[in-house]
Amino acid sequence: KLRFNLNKHNGLGNTYYNLAASYQKLGRLDDAYNAFWESKKSAEAQDKPILIAYADLGLGQLLLVKSKYLQADKLLNDAEELFKQFFN
């Protein structure tokens, strides 16, 4: 039973990420931000650095649109560092 419950939440970060990307394409930026944030929290809890990087990228892009440049810069740099671990 415990294994089933753990597996139920295993893809939650991916689900939030896909929801965030959909909201972003629909122009629902606040909803997208919240979903990217939930995706990041889930990825951190499950130690999935590649998903953390994608969530940071999404958050950074949204903050750029909202003209929050310093916050965006930090998240985008964090995402870049995580991506380098996987793609270099």
Side-chain angles (χ1 to χ4, degrees), residues 6 15-16 23 25 34 36 39-40 43-44 50 52 56 58 63 68 80 83 86:
L6 288 175
T15 302
Y16 275 119
Y23 281 145
K25 289 178 183 173
N34 291 331
F36 278 128
S39 175
K40 182 176 179 176
E44 289 172 340
I50 193 71
I52 295 169
D56 280 346
L63 288 170
K68 296 184 178 184
E80 181 182 24
F83 282 130
F86 289 93

Side-chain angles (χ1 to χ4, degrees), residues 50 53-54 79-88:
I50 193 71
Y54 277 108
E80 181 182 24
E81 290 303 314
L82 286 170
F83 282 130
K84 283 180 181 177
Q85 293 176 14
F86 289 93
F87 299 112
N88 275 340

Side-chain angles (χ1 to χ4, degrees), residues 21-37:
S22 297
Y23 281 145
Q24 188 175 20
K25 289 178 183 173
L26 291 170
R28 295 175 59 179
L29 302 184
D30 289 336
D31 292 328
Y33 185 90
N34 291 331
F36 278 128
W37 186 257

Side-chain angles (χ1 to χ4, degrees), residues 51-63:
L51 185 54
I52 295 169
Y54 277 108
D56 280 346
L57 177 62
L59 289 167
Q61 290 171 338
L62 289 172
L63 288 170

Side-chain angles (χ1 to χ4, degrees), residues 46-80:
Q46 296 176 1
D47 193 31
K48 293 185 175 181
I50 193 71
L51 185 54
I52 295 169
Y54 277 108
D56 280 346
L57 177 62
L59 289 167
Q61 290 171 338
L62 289 172
L63 288 170
L64 279 176
V65 171
K66 294 182 175 196
S67 301
K68 296 184 178 184
Y69 301 115
L70 291 177
Q71 293 169 305
D73 182 58
K74 184 194 178 322
L75 285 166
L76 294 171
N77 284 326
D78 290 348
E80 181 182 24

